[in-house]
Amino acid sequence: MSKVMYKSDASYVSCRAGIYYYTRRVPYDVRQHYASNRLSFSLRTKSNAGALRAAQSVTQRLEDYWLGLRLQDMDIPAIHLVKANHVDDSSPLMLDAVENYLRIKGNDDRIFVRTAQRNGNYVAKLLGNRPITSYATSEAAQFRDWCLDKGMNINSVKRVFASVRSIINLNIREYGLDGTNAFSGTYMPDRFDAPKRKPIPDEILKVIQSKCQITDDEPRWLLALISDTGLRLSEAVGLAVSDIKLDAPTPHIIVQPQPWRSLKTKSSHRKVPLVGASLWAAKKVIHNSNTPFAFPRYNDGELANANSASAALNKWLKSLVSEGCVVHSFRHSMRDRLRAVECPKEIIDQIGGWSSSDVGESYGGGFPLDNLNKWCNRIAFFELDQS
């Protein structure tokens, strides 16, 4: 069955400077929900036919949304049969809760903001932009199934739920709302469909480090730096030149927040010794530096683009590694290599910036840099010319 075509769709379309816009007055009976009596926004197309198709879709979604608002204002049939666990009148709508969450968190990292907004939009798209305490646990289960049907693996679904739970929990606590978080405790099936990152074998790692020195360009310096430090790609891409300390008694890098790149966890803020291939790469970065950024190809001072770096490096690695090995595999390899020399777990966690569940490990200032350097040197097998 074809979709209903509203006769007035075309009348909502106008063209300004070659770009088509959707303009429409808000119906009187739902106007109280809007800050303006008139809607006007770009359809992001220069095609008349494309604009008409987009207008049809926009009109349908608006009509559906307005119907929902009208139904909310109706007296609910058989209201006397509804259980007492009502929705708190002060409970914000889902999308408003997302904005509250971002404002309270004060985290302007683009990925953090984009992730929270995307996941909030997922909920609003499937279940409606409703008060956050109005969602039922059965709807949370429906949302889980919808995420899986979209092709997300189970780990991705868990991350989406963690984000949505955080958004709702913070709003409930911050505003003292009555009600519960329907997205807490949702069952997650064991699907075993998440891709498993394989560590890179030592013999392949040696080949990669050798080829990095032979190619000797910025992307290969980035890869070599990661190979003997275990840095996350985003951490390495976001380094400033000033974060590299070659003149210190123990050459090292400082992984710390920057305006263009935040860190994943508190334990991510650390110092990491430079040995082997990572030391060679750091020297190359400093010698060729003409900007404040260690890797200006992927960092313009506003955003450290780890996604772009990941795509380029994974493409280069594809012919050198087995299936399942990617840039992040260097991080898995680092942990295995440290285990192989019987490095204590606390030191492994400190080198890699891994969070520990042991409360006692959060006390004190951690292991001194020369101690970390001793263990890192035990796993370095980079023997090419490091001049």
Side-chain angles (χ1 to χ4, degrees):
M1 180 180 293
S2 61
K3 293 183 178 178
V4 176
M5 177 66 180
Y6 289 85
K7 293 182 179 179
S8 55
D9 283 344
S11 66
Y12 303 141
V13 176
S14 60
C15 184
R16 281 177 270 164
I19 303 294
Y20 284 89
Y21 288 77
Y22 186 96
T23 305
R24 182 176 183 180
R25 289 192 175 277
V26 178
Y28 182 81
D29 59 341
V30 295
R31 196 166 288 175
Q32 70 272 21
H33 297 283
Y34 284 82
S36 172
N37 296 338
R38 184 169 173 271
L39 304 178
S40 181
F41 50 87
S42 171
L43 293 171
R44 298 183 180 181
T45 181
K46 295 183 178 181
S47 164
N48 180 262
L52 291 177
R53 287 195 300 270
Q56 179 184 355
S57 176
V58 169
T59 300
Q60 179 66 62
R61 294 189 66 181
L62 283 173
E63 294 293 343
D64 290 344
Y65 176 62
W66 289 336
L67 176 60
L69 294 178
R70 290 171 180 130
L71 290 174
Q72 287 180 24
D73 293 335
M74 291 175 57
D75 292 334
I76 301 175
I79 187 63
H80 61 286
L81 298 177
V82 177
K83 292 183 179 180
N85 56 336
H86 64 282
V87 177
D88 191 328
D89 290 339
S90 61
S91 179
L93 303 182
M94 185 68 216
L95 296 184
D96 292 333
V98 172
E99 295 309 310
N100 293 339
Y101 175 77
L102 293 173
R103 175 177 52 79
I104 295 167
K105 282 284 189 178
N107 188 338
D108 57 358
D109 177 70
R110 296 186 187 187
I111 296 177
F112 178 83
V113 171
R114 186 172 65 238
T115 299
Q117 291 176 336
R118 180 195 64 206
N119 295 332
N121 280 320
Y122 281 163
V123 175
K125 178 179 180 180
L126 180 70
L127 304 177
N129 186 27
R130 293 159 36 197
I132 57 174
T133 54
S134 72
Y135 298 116
T137 54
S138 59
E139 291 179 308
Q142 179 187 352
F143 180 65
R144 173 204 61 208
D145 294 341
W146 178 82
C147 290
L148 292 170
D149 290 342
K150 279 178 64 70
M152 296 185 197
N153 64 56
I154 194 64
N155 284 350
S156 296
V157 177
K158 288 178 180 177
R159 285 193 292 270
V160 170
F161 265 73
S163 173
V164 173
R165 279 198 304 271
S166 295
I167 291 167
I168 295 178
N169 281 337
L170 184 62
N171 276 267
I172 288 176
R173 291 194 302 269
E174 188 73 12
Y175 299 107
L177 304 177
D178 294 329
T180 58
N181 188 342
F183 295 84
S184 296
T186 305
Y187 173 73
M188 293 292 168
D190 294 325
R191 287 170 56 115
F192 305 106
D193 59 349
K196 183 172 177 59
R197 300 303 184 201
K198 299 178 181 178
I200 298 173
D202 287 355
E203 61 274 16
I204 302 299
L205 184 56
K206 293 176 184 178
V207 171
I208 293 171
Q209 291 180 337
S210 174
K211 288 185 177 293
C212 282
Q213 191 179 56
I214 293 169
T215 306
D216 195 13
D217 60 4
E218 185 177 328
R220 260 48 63 174
W221 304 338
L222 174 58
L223 202 60
L225 184 74
I226 290 171
S227 70
D228 274 340
T229 57
L231 262 63
R232 298 176 179 92
L233 181 59
S234 59
E235 293 173 342
V237 168
L239 288 172
V241 171
S242 59
D243 292 329
I244 301 174
K245 308 296 184 182
L246 292 181
D247 295 332
T250 299
H252 64 279
I253 53 176
I254 302 175
V255 182
Q256 58 187 337
Q258 295 287 3
W260 52 83
R261 185 262 287 129
S262 61
L263 297 181
K264 186 175 182 180
T265 63
K266 288 183 179 179
S267 56
S268 299
H269 191 165
R270 64 198 189 279
K271 295 179 180 179
V272 184
L274 289 166
V275 300
S278 67
L279 180 58
W280 169 81
K283 289 179 178 179
K284 287 290 183 177
V285 168
I286 295 298
H287 180 72
N288 292 277
S289 172
N290 53 20
T291 78
F293 316 114
F295 300 100
R297 176 178 296 203
Y298 305 113
N299 184 1
D300 60 5
E302 294 185 5
L303 175 67
N305 196 339
N307 289 335
S308 176
S310 177
L313 294 177
N314 282 327
K315 182 178 180 181
W316 185 79
L317 282 171
K318 192 172 183 179
S319 63
L320 301 174
V321 296
S322 60
E323 186 175 356
C325 287
V326 292
V327 172
H328 195 69
S329 297
F330 287 101
R331 193 161 163 79
H332 290 258
S333 298
M334 187 69 175
R335 193 165 187 105
D336 277 352
R337 291 161 65 196
L338 288 167
R339 286 191 188 111
V341 295
E342 300 181 349
C343 179
K345 179 182 178 299
E346 285 185 61
I347 293 181
I348 295 177
D349 288 341
Q350 186 173 328
I351 291 171
W354 283 288
S355 299
S356 173
S357 58
D358 188 338
V359 175
E361 291 182 16
S362 64
Y363 283 70
F367 293 91
L369 193 58
D370 58 348
N371 196 321
L372 305 182
N373 189 60
K374 176 184 70 175
W375 290 100
C376 288
N377 269 310
R378 289 187 182 183
I379 65 169
F381 40 66
F382 187 73
E383 298 177 351
L384 295 180
D385 178 20
Q386 298 180 37
S387 59

